[in-house]
Every structure is written in C-alpha cells, then in structure tokens.
C-alpha cells in the first residue's frame, strides 16, 4: 500500500489518462492536473511547438520541472505524459508523492484511439505501430515496476473504464484520513 493524498496516472499514449483522470478527480474530490496541458500553459504554445523548438530533450526538461512542481501539490490527480517515467528522478517523485495507477492498453487499442490524432510529435512517423511497439518495449517494464495499481485496458467507453478504475482504486488505495486539500 502507498498511502497518499494524490493519485498519479501513468501509462502509454492513448490509455485514457486525461479522459479517465478528469472523472476520477471529480469522483475523489481531487484537483485534476494534466501535465502536458501544464507545459502548454507555462510555455504559451502547444507540445508540438515545444518539440519543434527545443527537441525532445528540451521538452523532457520542462516536463520534469513541472512534474516536480505539480506532484508537490496536495490533493491532485495528475495525468502524466507517457514518457515521464523515463527519467529516474521523475519516477522517484511519482513513487514518493502519490498513489501511482498504471492505465494499461494494447497496441491495437492505441492505434484505434489515436487514428485521427496528429498532435503527438513522437507519433509523427510513417509506421505508428512500430513506434508504439518500440515505446512499449522500453516503458512497460518501468510502468510495471512503478505502479501501485495496474488497471487492465478493456474495450468500452470512458464511463466504463472510469467505473472500473474507481472500483479497483477503492479496493487498493489507502487514502489518509486527513482532507486531501490540506497539507501535513
């Protein structure tokens, strides 16, 4: 058990971290934070533009800085970017500051969900399947090691997935007695 006031969602691109995260935050009375949206808000441009100007390394630096800041906030449900787990210091922040939920999904589900999505710079390649498989090979062992809870991806809409998450989280999350909006 990882008792925490915060919940952090990790998982591959297209797992539903933002869509499901909004519903979970409302259910648990937590403030919803999407890390990619925080980056865009701080930079004043979209993630693609950050990648174009600063490359992936520059994006990852910004991502790490904002993860550090956002994960310190009490009472948040944080939807992370899929690659945030690549940096060891990011994994440490996630592990120490929140209850980590891995939203699992298959490559087939990712391809289906991301079919019309052209906003993700790492997927701007001719063979998306190959890229998703390569990312999964590197990231899945990290997700597995980091997660306090793994939620299997199943077909169905956001409502069903959110309800499945709530059932599993309720069964496994040891939420401290203090109000999630208070600091200790």
């Amino acid at each position: 058990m990882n008792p925490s006031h915060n919940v952090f969602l990790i998982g591959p691109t297209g797992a539903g971290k933002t869509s499901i995260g909004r519903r979970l935050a409302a259910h648990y009375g937590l403030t919803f934070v999407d890390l990619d949206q925080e980056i865009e808000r701080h930079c004043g441009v979209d993630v693609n533009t950050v990648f174009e100007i600063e490359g992936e390394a520059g994006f990852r630096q910004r991502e790490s800085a904002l993860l550090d800041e956002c994960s310190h906030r009490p009472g948040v449900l944080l939807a992370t970017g899929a690659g945030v787990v690549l940096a060891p210091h990011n994994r440490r922040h996630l592990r120490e500051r929140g209850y980590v939920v891995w939203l699992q999904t298959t490559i087939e589900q990712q391809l289906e969900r991301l079919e019309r999505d052209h906003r993700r710079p790492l997927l701007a390649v001719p063979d998306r399947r190959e890229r998703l498989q390569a990312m999964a090979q590197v990231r899945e062992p990290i997700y597995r090691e980091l997660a306090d809870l793994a939620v299997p991806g199943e077909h169905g809409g956001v409502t069903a997935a959110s309800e499945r998450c709530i059932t599993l989280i309720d069964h496994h999350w040891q939420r401290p007695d203090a109000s999630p909006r208070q600091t200790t």
Side-chain angles (χ1 to χ4, degrees):
M1 288 281 177
N2 176 359
S4 176
H5 294 294
N6 297 328
V7 174
F8 301 146
L9 300 181
I10 62 171
T13 301
K17 295 179 297 290
T18 299
S19 301
I20 293 169
R22 288 185 197 285
R23 291 172 184 243
L24 296 179
H27 176 81
Y28 291 110
L30 300 171
T31 301
F32 177 74
V33 178
D34 180 286
L35 197 55
D36 283 346
Q37 291 172 3
E38 284 293 303
I39 292 168
E40 291 177 346
R41 189 173 67 76
H42 277 75
C43 294
V45 296
D46 64 19
V47 167
N48 278 336
T49 303
V50 175
F51 263 80
E52 286 174 22
I53 295 170
E54 300 179 1
E56 185 174 359
F59 172 80
R60 295 291 176 208
Q61 287 178 337
R62 290 181 180 277
E63 181 181 57
S64 291
L66 283 169
L67 173 67
D68 184 30
E69 176 188 317
C70 294
S71 64
H72 264 113
R73 300 175 191 167
V76 298
L77 188 140
L78 179 64
T80 67
V84 75
V85 300
L86 296 172
H89 58 277
N90 289 345
R91 294 193 298 269
R92 186 178 66 252
H93 292 328
L94 291 167
R95 187 179 298 111
E96 292 174 356
R97 300 176 186 169
Y99 185 76
V100 181
V101 177
W102 172 22
L103 300 183
Q104 298 174 315
T105 190
T106 65
I107 301 294
E108 293 304 321
Q109 288 169 324
Q110 288 178 279
L111 288 167
E112 181 182 313
R113 293 172 185 167
L114 300 168
E115 184 177 14
R116 292 183 184 89
D117 186 334
H118 301 287
R119 300 175 297 115
R120 300 171 196 264
L122 293 179
L123 294 182
V125 295
D127 190 342
R128 281 185 159 195
R129 177 183 302 279
E130 183 179 303
R131 173 63 58 90
L132 290 169
Q133 288 171 333
M135 290 190 306
Q137 186 174 6
V138 170
R139 296 173 181 181
E140 282 193 15
I142 299 170
Y143 295 144
R144 184 174 294 108
E145 183 270 327
L146 184 60
D148 293 305
L149 175 67
V151 178
E154 298 175 10
H155 288 286
V158 172
T159 300
S162 300
E163 290 171 0
R164 192 169 51 255
C165 285
I166 288 167
T167 299
L168 289 170
I169 291 169
D170 283 349
H171 186 73
H172 296 280
W173 182 25
Q174 182 183 359
R175 193 172 186 181
D177 292 335
S179 169
R181 298 199 185 270
Q182 296 175 348
T183 57
T184 54

